Amino acid sequence: MLNIALAQLNYTVGDFSANTTAIISHMRRAAAASADIAVFSELAICGYYPGDLLEDSSFLARCDAALDEIIRTSAELPELVTVVGTARRNNGPGKPLHNSLLAIRNGQIIAEYYKQLLPTYGIFDEYRHFEPGPQTACTLSVREHRVGFMICEDGWNQPGLDYKVNPFDALKQATPELVISINASPSDIGKRKKRHSTISKACQETQLPILFVNQTGGQDQLVFDGASFAVTPDQGVVFEASQFEEDFQCIGFDAGAFMKDGLPLLASALVDLPVEEFTRRQILLGLRDYARRCGFSKVVVGSSGGIDSALTLALAAQALGAENVIAITMPSVWSSEGSVSDSVDLCKNLGIRLHTHPVADLVKQFSTGFEHSFDTPLRGLPLENLQARIRGTILMEYSNSFGALLLTTGNKSEISVGYCTLYGDTNGGLGLIGDLYKTEVYALSRHINQQAGRELIPEPIISKPPSAELAPDQKDTDSLPPYEVQDEILKWHLEGDRMPPAEAKAARNHVQGLQTSEEGRQLVARILAMVARNEYKRRQAPPLIRVRSRAFGSGRQMPLAAKY
């Protein structure tokens, strides 16, 4: 029987010391558990994804030095085969590097494989730095078991529609008993189910059992959920590691079957997390790692008394602890009494310290200065935006003074159509809910209350009509259609078939229903035009934690100066 140690770890891009320490620690742990193979994920040594750091010679030198340390350690564990991902130089024509898988044993690299399929869609841009590997299989005999290898995207070209090459074709001819796939597969709604479906189909078509090893943790906008798994042709998925956390598991393999503690692993019903719980965990992990990697222990949020800032505060408190979250309420002459009292109740429920910094006098001073300088009063939209920009300045003052990361509170519905103020409520270092539509903001808020068994987010915040409170009696519906209508248009337009099938169908049917009337067609056209003309705002907005299949940022690249 082949004993395999699966190391599902949380790596940091460029932190070679920490990454190498973690890899070596788990190599020793695998050897102590009598494992024959220890498997780590794609680009584990340097972290995924380094971007243009791969063009930095010192970065590559440190990557080489880290690999050398791992190779030296392997000599101390002569029976263990370590399978790990890293960047390797390309000695032939083409791009300067390969995205590589190395098999290391007893101080030697005994097998080397280069990723053949380099994704350039969505959030990926691997062909920018890497040259595809040759169209050959890589196999290795370990304790009389022939093991084949591949890297992430190599296993996703079923049935060969996206690339001219299908690495499984060569792999089948090499007749391995088992395929080990190392991955850096980011998480989004529906992704786990898609992984299971895609890899299971490949497994059935090739009759090759597959072990899919993923990483976990947050890196910039991306969150990796782990959830490594094993799949066999006859049974489908028979094993899955933890979601959203590091994990170390030893499983056996013999005669086409995976085993645990000497017993065959059998197919079992794998249930997806409810979408709200998935979203909560995704955001919490993303915030924790973003703050930690960027050197922040505290965050600050502008508390308006509305649902967006309330949810942001609740998530921040869960991720970092209430003692590390600061809220600031900044009432103006248009702020309702409820906006302040709701902020007080919210922060009391969450155990968060709330500061008050009124802005009415500052707004008046700016307005007076504007009129004196330009001989015209400041009113309408410029006056509304002034209030938001003063608040944004105050929040940045606090961030600069006390070293707290400012979290922006915009949601995807508002960011999509530009219902936000540049240098105002868009200020910040990270957006927690920027990939959640407004209807999802409400659903996640209710979920958090249900999970807590009490009102962490006060019901008046959830039930009151949303308002920016920058003008008298202002409501979001003064400028936008109801979010239940707008969100379906946005899903259809921005994500389409990238969504899970049921969600994509619902959005498509909703828009088709609208387009049966002239009023509906005009509404759809208006929303799409608003999305198009506000790209410049999104380009300047903070990064946001990706939750859905197509998030603003690297996942949707649109021109600024274009007519469409």
Side-chain angles (χ1 to χ4, degrees):
M1 183 174 71
L2 193 63
N3 294 313
I4 306 168
L6 177 159
Q8 177 179 287
L9 304 182
N10 187 341
Y11 306 99
T12 299
V13 169
D15 193 346
F16 292 101
S17 176
N19 294 347
T20 305
T21 297
I23 291 169
I24 289 175
S25 171
H26 285 81
M27 289 169 62
R28 298 189 188 281
R29 187 175 175 184
S34 300
D36 302 303
I37 305 176
V39 185
F40 301 89
S41 57
E42 180 181 7
L43 294 182
I45 292 176
C46 62
Y48 192 96
Y49 187 71
D52 285 355
L53 286 173
L54 291 166
E55 299 175 8
D56 186 327
S57 59
S58 64
F59 181 88
L60 295 175
R62 287 183 290 140
C63 189
D64 292 340
L67 174 61
D68 289 342
E69 187 176 353
I70 291 168
I71 292 173
R72 286 194 299 271
T73 301
S74 76
E76 303 171 21
L77 311 168
E79 301 302 317
L80 180 71
V81 175
T82 297
V83 175
V84 65
T86 189
R88 295 280 275 174
R89 287 171 177 77
N90 173 25
N91 295 320
K95 301 295 173 65
L97 299 169
H98 289 297
N99 184 339
S100 306
L101 175 153
L102 303 180
I104 304 165
R105 181 171 56 197
N106 195 19
Q108 299 290 328
I109 297 173
I110 57 174
E112 189 161 357
Y113 173 77
Y114 302 142
K115 189 174 184 178
Q116 298 182 41
L117 307 184
L118 301 175
T120 57
Y121 58 84
I123 58 172
F124 301 107
D125 197 10
E126 290 191 26
Y127 196 67
R128 179 181 177 92
H129 304 103
F130 294 120
E131 182 68 17
Q135 298 172 26
T136 57
C138 177
T139 62
L140 179 67
S141 181
V142 182
R143 289 193 57 175
E144 299 181 354
H145 293 272
R146 181 168 292 279
V147 181
F149 301 103
M150 58 173 39
I151 304 175
C152 203
E153 187 80 358
D154 291 343
W156 287 72
N157 196 31
Q158 296 288 342
L161 298 178
D162 296 324
Y163 303 90
K164 295 179 180 179
V165 177
N166 187 345
F168 271 117
D169 292 340
L171 203 52
K172 280 190 298 183
Q173 295 179 13
T175 64
E177 298 173 54
L178 165 70
V179 174
I180 292 177
S181 175
I182 64 171
N183 302 266
S185 179
S187 172
D188 57 59
I189 293 172
K191 183 65 170 291
R192 174 174 167 270
K193 184 177 291 185
K194 185 176 181 180
R195 285 191 206 115
H196 289 174
S197 174
T198 301
I199 302 303
S200 292
K201 287 179 182 177
C203 177
Q204 291 169 359
E205 290 176 6
T206 61
Q207 291 295 294
L208 296 174
I210 300 172
L211 178 63
F212 182 104
V213 179
N214 197 20
Q215 71 174 67
T216 189
Q219 181 63 54
D220 297 349
Q221 288 188 264
L222 303 182
V223 177
F224 300 89
D225 59 336
S228 303
F229 63 94
V231 60
T232 67
D234 297 331
Q235 299 193 69
V237 178
V238 296
F239 164 84
E240 185 176 41
S242 301
Q243 288 182 261
F244 297 109
E245 59 186 40
E246 291 191 325
D247 201 358
F248 178 86
Q249 298 279 345
C250 289
I251 60 176
F253 179 81
D254 193 28
F258 291 100
M259 287 172 265
K260 184 75 172 172
D261 300 324
L263 298 174
L265 288 166
L266 304 176
S268 58
L270 297 175
V271 180
D272 281 333
L273 291 170
V275 67
E276 291 82 13
E277 179 60 13
F278 166 88
T279 300
R280 186 186 73 89
R281 293 193 193 183
Q282 178 104 340
I283 293 173
L284 296 190
L285 181 56
L287 172 56
R288 287 190 191 113
D289 279 352
Y290 188 90
R292 174 173 60 87
R293 299 192 208 284
C294 294
F296 291 97
S297 59
K298 295 183 181 294
V299 297
V300 59
V301 180
S303 181
S304 67
I307 189 70
D308 296 327
S309 60
L311 178 57
T312 300
L313 283 163
L315 291 166
Q318 290 189 355
L320 305 176
E323 69 278 9
N324 294 312
V325 181
I326 300 95
I328 303 176
T329 180
M330 295 164 285
S332 74
V333 294
W334 306 123
S335 297
S336 66
E337 181 180 344
S339 68
V340 178
S341 63
D342 288 344
S343 291
V344 171
D345 292 342
L346 169 72
C347 292
K348 186 181 296 183
N349 292 353
L350 296 174
I352 290 172
R353 185 175 180 183
L354 176 65
H355 297 277
T356 301
H357 191 314
V359 300
D361 289 346
L362 289 169
V363 172
K364 183 178 180 180
Q365 186 176 349
F366 269 88
S367 299
T368 301
F370 183 92
E371 185 169 1
H372 285 169
S373 296
F374 304 116
D375 297 323
T376 187
L378 190 65
R379 55 192 167 200
L381 185 60
L383 179 58
E384 294 179 26
N385 287 340
L386 171 63
Q387 296 170 70
R389 290 185 175 122
I390 287 174
R391 286 171 172 148
T393 299
I394 292 168
L395 291 168
M396 284 306 304
E397 285 177 342
Y398 187 95
S399 175
N400 291 163
S401 297
F402 298 101
L405 172 67
L406 173 57
L407 301 179
T408 188
T409 60
N411 63 68
K412 193 167 188 173
S413 301
E414 295 169 353
I415 296 170
S416 296
V417 297
Y419 195 66
C420 52
T421 303
L422 272 181
Y423 325 120
D425 57 332
T426 57
N427 280 6
L430 182 68
L432 301 193
I433 63 171
D435 204 24
L436 298 184
Y437 296 102
K438 190 77 169 190
T439 47
E440 295 174 320
V441 169
Y442 284 107
L444 182 53
S445 298
R446 293 189 178 96
H447 173 74
I448 285 175
N449 283 353
Q450 291 169 358
Q451 192 178 57
R454 62 189 182 94
E455 285 188 12
L456 290 178
I457 299 175
E459 180 57 34
I461 291 179
I462 297 176
S463 58
K464 67 183 175 184
S467 170
E469 290 195 344
L470 298 175
D473 301 318
Q474 187 179 43
K475 299 290 184 293
D476 287 6
T477 49
D478 297 340
S479 304
L480 302 172
Y483 285 113
E484 293 80 4
V485 175
Q486 178 182 309
D487 286 358
E488 295 304 308
I489 298 172
L490 292 173
K491 288 178 184 179
W492 167 78
H493 176 56
L494 297 173
E495 298 179 61
D497 289 337
R498 295 176 179 85
M499 294 184 290
E503 191 176 16
K505 182 179 180 181
R508 185 166 55 249
N509 289 343
H510 184 89
V511 174
Q512 287 175 350
L514 289 173
Q515 290 177 329
T516 59
S517 69
E518 180 60 28
E519 182 181 7
R521 287 192 291 272
Q522 290 180 3
L523 173 60
V524 172
R526 181 166 76 90
I527 296 300
L528 267 55
M530 293 173 75
V531 172
R533 69 172 174 260
N534 283 287
E535 181 63 29
Y536 76 101
K537 287 188 179 182
R538 293 187 292 273
R539 189 73 64 89
Q540 299 177 70
L544 53 87
I545 294 175
R546 178 177 176 268
V547 174
R548 303 185 63 87
S549 57
R550 197 182 196 195
F552 292 126
S554 60
R556 185 177 187 269
Q557 301 179 27
M558 301 293 286
L560 289 175
K563 185 176 182 180
Y564 61 96

